[in-house]
Amino acid sequence: MTTLVEHARQVLPLGLTGRIDRVVGLTAAVVGFPAPLGSRCTIDRDHGLPIEADVVGFRGDETLLMPLGELTGVRRGARVRLVESVPCVNVGAGLLGRIIGSRGEFLDEGPKPLLAHRADLHGKPPGPLERPRIAKIWQTGVRAIDGLLTLGEGQRMGIFAGSGVGKSTLLGQIARHSSADINVVALIGERGREVREFLDRDLGPEGLKRSVVIVATGDEPAILRLRAAWMATAIAEHFRDLGQHVVLMMDSVTRFALAQREIGLAAGEPPATRGYPPSVFALLPRLLERSGCSPAGSITGLYTVLVDGDDTNEPISDSVRGILDGHIVLSRKLAQQGQFPAIDVLQSISRSMNDITTTEHRQWALTVRQLLSSYQQNEDLISIGAYQNGSNALIDSAIQARPQILGYLGQKPQEQTTFPESLSMLERLARLKDLLARKPAPT
């Protein structure tokens, strides 16, 4: 975070200009314009206002620009002017409760606040030895997560699901009921219709009061969708450096990767894995590593991943899962059965849970997992009536405890369960196994 005066000392002289040499596809090549990568500039055109563009690469003596709008009216020789060499965003307490676009404009009807500081969009993450260990439980208000996939403040978690399985609804529920000080929500590549639905239905007025929402819809240029992710991370870092516990929710990382694929291919990068250029896999850790704990505060990251055809092993899913500190998998099968949240507990894991929970809590969670696993492995036999009661004590307990477990995992979006309540319910489920084991199996 820097003041406006300090930021002014970092930028190049704004008198730098160049000329359009050619336009190829989505990019414009400029000669005589040695601006650094990531700079913001404007392109003059014969009619209408200048077009904003970002520097995305170099080829020979040319600087490649990707415009933030249509290139209609731009001709060969049109002048290009440098606007900003260090991409930043204005930050401050006035952002709370506001909805902003990826250009920094306010999309709601409120007045423009006074923001005295600027944050670098491409700030550096805390050093590995500067990060405190995750030691404090973060309460989400969702008992399936708090009880069986307990998260810590500063943890980075992925939510993996196909389209229409309930990712946005789950994020809104957590934003309303979690123990975080501030929510920073980035909606990247969403449909325009879904933005209003998320704000009104999922986030609600109570969630918006302590949130900053950054929006870049799917019809906006790829460079703006990319910028929205960097902007949300920079805003979260600003509040973290003030000592706050921030939750950064990004929906979705997949559309961030798709935007970078579009930019990389337009700039001439070769496709590497399933059409994704190498820059995609280089940018993902740069984005995801910026959340976490710091000496001042913490950023707990929740990143949704839109899996292709419900395949959680496709390239982006596989890469993101290897970077984050755990993953929550939403099952389409469970969603079709009417369970919300449709969390597949057996496919999900929190890598920080063992460090922040008690021995009793971990044992209760293990017992419930064993019951879920036992039922799942024998579900076909149970469904067709081929399983004989009394053949296996664990399976008998899993069958009898099934309704109570499903009741624990299911939770209405408007319902909030405190962490002590979740823990108490989990304990009763775990003890139910021992009680059922003492009873003779029904014949």
Side-chain angles (χ1 to χ4, degrees), residues 37 56 66 122 188 221-223 225-227 230 253-267 269 275-284 286 316:
L37 199 66
V56 296
M66 177 159 283
H122 302 284
I188 301 171
I223 199 72
R225 283 176 269 145
L226 209 65
R227 183 181 175 90
W230 299 121
V253 173
T254 305
R255 294 191 176 107
F256 169 86
L258 290 173
Q260 177 57 32
R261 179 173 73 173
E262 186 177 329
I263 294 170
L265 294 177
E269 273 194 90
Y276 289 98
S279 62
V280 172
F281 302 100
L283 278 190
L284 285 173
R286 284 173 52 192
I316 298 302

Side-chain angles (χ1 to χ4, degrees), residues 117-152:
H117 299 280
R118 288 172 69 82
D120 186 356
L121 290 188
H122 302 284
K124 294 182 178 180
L129 298 184
E130 296 175 3
R131 296 177 183 261
R133 291 187 60 180
I134 298 173
K136 185 178 179 181
I137 291 174
W138 175 49
Q139 304 177 29
T140 66
V142 181
R143 53 179 174 261
I145 297 176
D146 289 344
L148 299 170
L149 302 164
T150 312
L151 307 184

Side-chain angles (χ1 to χ4, degrees), residues 43 55 65 83 194 217:
I43 304 173
V55 177
L65 307 182
V83 174
E194 291 182 333
T217 54

Side-chain angles (χ1 to χ4, degrees), residues 160-188:
F160 293 73
S163 57
V165 185
K167 300 185 302 299
S168 299
T169 305
L170 180 58
L171 286 182
Q173 183 178 18
I174 294 174
R176 291 193 308 272
H177 300 148
S178 79
S179 59
D181 299 322
I182 293 171
N183 303 311
V184 178
V185 184
L187 302 178
I188 301 171

Side-chain angles (χ1 to χ4, degrees), residues 216-291:
T217 54
D219 60 321
E220 296 189 47
I223 199 72
L224 289 181
R225 283 176 269 145
L226 209 65
R227 183 181 175 90
W230 299 121
M231 181 183 294
T233 305
I235 292 172
E237 288 173 335
H238 165 73
F239 289 111
R240 178 202 63 192
D241 293 341
L242 296 178
Q244 304 281 350
H245 171 219
V246 184
V247 172
L248 173 60
M249 301 180 177
M250 192 170 294
D251 187 15
S252 68
V253 173
T254 305
R255 294 191 176 107
F256 169 86
L258 290 173
Q260 177 57 32
R261 179 173 73 173
E262 186 177 329
I263 294 170
L265 294 177
E269 273 194 90
T273 306
R274 288 203 193 177
Y276 289 98
S279 62
V280 172
F281 302 100
L283 278 190
L284 285 173
R286 284 173 52 192
L287 175 71
L288 301 176
E289 281 291 333
R290 286 172 64 181
S291 55

Side-chain angles (χ1 to χ4, degrees), residues 326-438:
H327 51 273
I328 297 171
V329 177
L330 302 186
S331 164
R332 187 175 299 278
K333 178 182 177 181
L334 294 177
Q336 291 171 344
Q337 293 172 356
Q339 179 178 317
F340 177 85
I343 298 175
D344 188 337
V345 175
L346 298 179
Q347 295 293 325
S348 307
I349 189 172
S350 169
R351 294 193 178 109
S352 298
M353 181 174 177
N354 289 342
D355 296 330
I356 57 179
T357 54
T358 63
T359 303
E360 292 81 4
H361 183 173
R362 294 193 294 273
Q363 185 57 50
W364 298 333
L366 177 61
T367 299
V368 173
R369 279 179 171 270
Q370 288 174 339
L371 292 172
L372 281 170
S373 177
S374 178
Y375 187 92
Q376 186 183 84
Q377 292 174 5
N378 298 275
E379 187 172 9
D380 291 341
L381 292 176
I382 297 169
S383 298
I384 64 176
Y387 173 74
Q388 296 295 321
N389 291 324
S391 302
N392 185 292
L394 181 59
I395 301 176
D396 292 341
S397 297
I399 295 173
Q400 296 177 64
R402 180 89 175 154
Q404 291 89 337
I405 293 176
L406 293 180
Y408 180 83
L409 297 178
Q411 184 174 341
K412 296 179 180 178
Q414 299 79 19
E415 182 184 354
Q416 178 183 7
T417 305
T418 65
F419 190 81
E421 290 173 343
S422 297
L423 215 55
S424 177
M425 295 171 69
L426 183 68
E427 180 183 6
R428 289 198 295 271
L429 279 180
R431 295 190 184 283
L432 183 63
K433 175 190 172 184
D434 297 332
L435 293 175
L436 294 173
R438 299 191 190 104

